[in-house]
Amino acid sequence: MVYAILVILVLAVLAVLAIAAMKPDSFSLRRETDIAAPPEKVFALINDFHEWPKWSPWEKLDPDLQRTHSGAASGKGAVYAWSGNKKVGQGRMEILDGSPHAIKIKLDF
């Protein structure tokens, strides 16, 4: 009986590992929302990482948040990195492309 349970458990673990091995190494997440403001106004706040403290709720979770900006001043090539407490952690964002209707940002935690 114990042998049968052990075999079933090993087969279940192997099945989970086989399924996990077939999954891609990365994923993409897309979120959308409607904002009652002209696209140009919202675009200016997102396309420039220096403007993020004005609206981002994450900026207020750590008063000692360490920020660095590099690359372009805004738009494509702009880079923003941060390091903070357990609530905000650390990470890096880079604007890859953008227009008033869509901005593509690479985000690393």
Side-chain angles (χ1 to χ4, degrees), residues 69-90:
H69 298 272
S70 60
S74 65
K76 186 175 181 176
V79 176
Y80 172 59
W82 70 93
S83 180
N85 62 21
K86 290 192 316 186
K87 291 181 181 178
V88 297
Q90 65 182 26

Side-chain angles (χ1 to χ4, degrees), residues 48-59:
D48 184 350
F49 288 133
H50 297 91
E51 297 291 327
W52 284 48
K54 293 179 181 176
W55 63 269
S56 174
W58 297 102
E59 296 280 340

Side-chain angles (χ1 to χ4, degrees), residues 12-84:
V13 168
L14 289 175
V16 169
L17 291 175
I19 292 169
M22 290 186 275
K23 298 293 181 184
D25 292 335
S26 63
F27 67 96
S28 178
L29 175 68
R30 179 181 172 130
R31 298 176 74 184
E32 294 183 20
T33 189
D34 291 325
I35 299 172
E40 297 78 22
K41 185 173 184 176
V42 176
F43 178 72
L45 291 172
I46 298 173
N47 196 51
D48 184 350
F49 288 133
H50 297 91
E51 297 291 327
W52 284 48
K54 293 179 181 176
W55 63 269
S56 174
W58 297 102
E59 296 280 340
K60 295 165 184 60
L61 292 177
D62 182 1
D64 298 321
L65 184 66
Q66 301 295 311
R67 303 168 184 87
T68 58
H69 298 272
S70 60
S74 65
K76 186 175 181 176
V79 176
Y80 172 59
W82 70 93
S83 180

